[in-house]
Amino acid sequence: MEPLDLLTLQSDIRRTLEDCFTEAVWVRAEIVSLSVKGGHCYMELCQTGPKGIVAKARAVIWRSKYCVLESFFREATGSALKAGIGLLLHAAVNYSEVYGLSLVVDDLDPQFTLGEKELLRRRCIAKLEEEGLTEAQHRLDMADLPYSLAVVSAEGAAGYGDFCRHLHENAYGFTLRTVLFDAVMQGAGAPASIIAALDRIESSGERFDAILVLRGGGSALDLDCFDDYDLCARMARCGIPVLTAIGHDRDRHVADMVAYEALKTPTALADYFLDIYEAEDERISSFSSRLHRAFLNKIAALESRLDVLQTRIMAADPRSILSRGYVLPADSGGRVLKSVSGIKAGDRIRLLFSDGRLDCEVLENLPK
């Protein structure tokens, strides 16, 4: 067989592929890298298997299609096209004798990307449940008044700034201690970065009452790192209560499910701790009010007893008795006479009235 020159071989491959792929096809793949040059989008795609990458190909979205498809994808998923996400793309197979095989993309299905992430999320939940990790954090006890808080977030993140302002500039004057452990909070590197931050916290030798993982929202694909099994398992196994605030109302991630407590936003998480202190402040105030009321009631009871005693004393006062028309007899020495016994004619006695005294002489003793 005569040897083929390279051009002839490449031309034969091109014609064969053109005969096999007369129409565009739907292809499942993951973006390895992406760049935009001159309005054209160039991607490297791959497929992975149990042992790593099993296939690779180059793809391009020409400028005439890229703006429309990128906008459509962003609107449907809340995220731009980027490395690390799975795609279902409609592409024509193109083969060039110089550049080799490439796929020319003319359409995308964003629902496939969202569905693939949901499937991975469900698998993660199932594995955590099988290992008994979904309730591990809920069995921990947090301090009644948590004071020292370890914060896992990106230092320049808006969510972290909102949290700090809301917590430290509170109207009540409550003071809490926060220590930042900086981490990447989105993208493929986020799970490993957050796990490393958790490791640093537990090995720091400092005593923290809680760990706060803050992100503050983003697109569905920006936040899918919080559905990562390794990250969620590490959070569940943490010996310190882990609280999350990594999305808005619509987001519910696996990390939220395994956390000790999940709040919607960083400011809501700040309010969570401020509410604890406000409740304790009200409890102390209520206790103080109860003590004050109890003291006043005790004083009132004592005053009431004094009033009764005073009434009894006043009632027993001889002057009060004499004022009602009674007379108090006494001998000449002033001793009160309680009986006629021993009194004889000629003795001197005194009769005490409310308004004076009469000195008298006994004429006759007439016993009963």
Side-chain angles (χ1 to χ4, degrees), residues 291-308:
L291 285 178
H292 183 66
R293 285 196 299 271
F295 178 75
L296 292 179
N297 291 339
K298 186 68 174 179
I299 294 298
L302 291 174
E303 289 178 343
S304 178
R305 290 181 62 187
L306 286 175
D307 290 342
V308 171

Side-chain angles (χ1 to χ4, degrees), residues 335-352:
R335 291 186 297 272
V336 174
L337 297 174
K338 297 181 179 181
S339 172
V340 297
S341 177
I343 306 297
K344 56 186 183 295
D347 287 346
R348 304 287 298 182
I349 64 172
R350 298 172 180 177
L351 297 180
L352 303 176

Side-chain angles (χ1 to χ4, degrees), residues 29-217:
E30 180 179 330
I31 300 177
V32 177
S33 63
L34 180 148
S35 63
V36 178
K37 298 177 182 179
H40 307 302
C41 176
Y42 300 94
M43 297 179 288
E44 184 177 6
L45 307 176
C46 78
Q47 179 179 340
T48 57
K51 295 183 180 181
I53 294 176
V54 295
K56 272 187 162 185
R58 291 181 295 106
V60 61
I61 309 176
W62 299 124
R63 181 171 50 198
S64 59
K65 290 280 187 178
Y66 176 64
C67 289
V68 175
L69 291 182
E70 202 280 336
S71 176
F72 170 60
F73 186 85
R74 185 187 294 271
E75 183 178 350
T77 65
S79 174
L81 290 168
K82 60 185 179 180
I85 64 174
L87 286 179
L88 180 60
L89 45 88
H90 192 250
V93 178
N94 181 72
Y95 194 86
S96 165
E97 288 85 346
V98 176
Y99 300 106
L101 179 70
S102 64
L103 302 177
V104 180
V105 180
D106 63 11
D107 201 0
L108 299 170
D109 183 358
Q111 295 306 314
F112 170 82
T113 302
L114 295 174
E116 186 180 56
K117 296 299 181 183
E118 178 60 24
L119 179 60
L120 292 175
R121 178 178 179 274
R122 292 181 182 181
R123 287 175 180 169
C124 176
I125 294 172
K127 188 173 182 181
L128 291 168
E129 288 177 343
E130 181 181 346
E131 296 172 350
L133 293 177
T134 54
E135 296 298 322
Q137 275 282 311
H138 301 154
R139 291 191 286 269
L140 299 179
D141 294 320
M142 188 161 63
D144 292 335
L145 285 176
Y147 165 73
S148 188
L149 310 175
V151 182
V152 179
S153 187
E155 185 172 9
Y160 173 64
D162 291 343
F163 169 80
C164 289
R165 283 189 295 273
H166 202 74
L167 185 73
H168 296 303
E169 299 174 11
N170 67 86
Y172 310 103
F174 300 142
T175 301
L176 291 89
R177 173 178 179 259
T178 57
V179 179
L180 175 65
F181 289 81
D182 193 45
V184 177
M185 301 304 290
Q186 71 179 51
S193 182
I194 297 171
I195 290 172
L198 295 175
D199 292 340
R200 294 199 305 275
I201 291 169
E202 291 201 294
S203 63
S204 67
E206 296 189 57
R207 182 185 177 279
F208 291 104
D209 296 313
I211 298 172
L212 318 183
V213 179
L214 305 182
R215 172 62 174 81

Side-chain angles (χ1 to χ4, degrees), residues 209-285:
D209 296 313
I211 298 172
L212 318 183
V213 179
L214 305 182
R215 172 62 174 81
S219 71
L221 295 181
D222 284 340
L223 299 176
D224 64 7
C225 56
F226 293 102
D227 294 329
D228 179 81
Y229 167 78
D230 291 334
L231 171 58
C232 295
R234 179 63 182 87
M235 288 174 56
R237 293 190 177 103
C238 189
I240 304 171
V242 179
L243 294 86
T244 59
I246 55 179
H248 296 301
D249 292 353
R250 67 182 183 276
D251 300 318
R252 176 72 174 174
H253 298 279
V254 181
D256 295 323
M257 297 174 61
V258 302
Y260 178 87
E261 192 76 42
L263 284 301
K264 295 176 181 177
T265 63
T267 52
L269 184 53
D271 281 333
Y272 175 89
F273 290 98
L274 295 177
D275 288 347
I276 291 175
Y277 276 78
E278 185 180 6
E280 181 66 12
D281 188 56
E282 289 179 356
R283 189 186 72 81
I284 293 173
S285 297

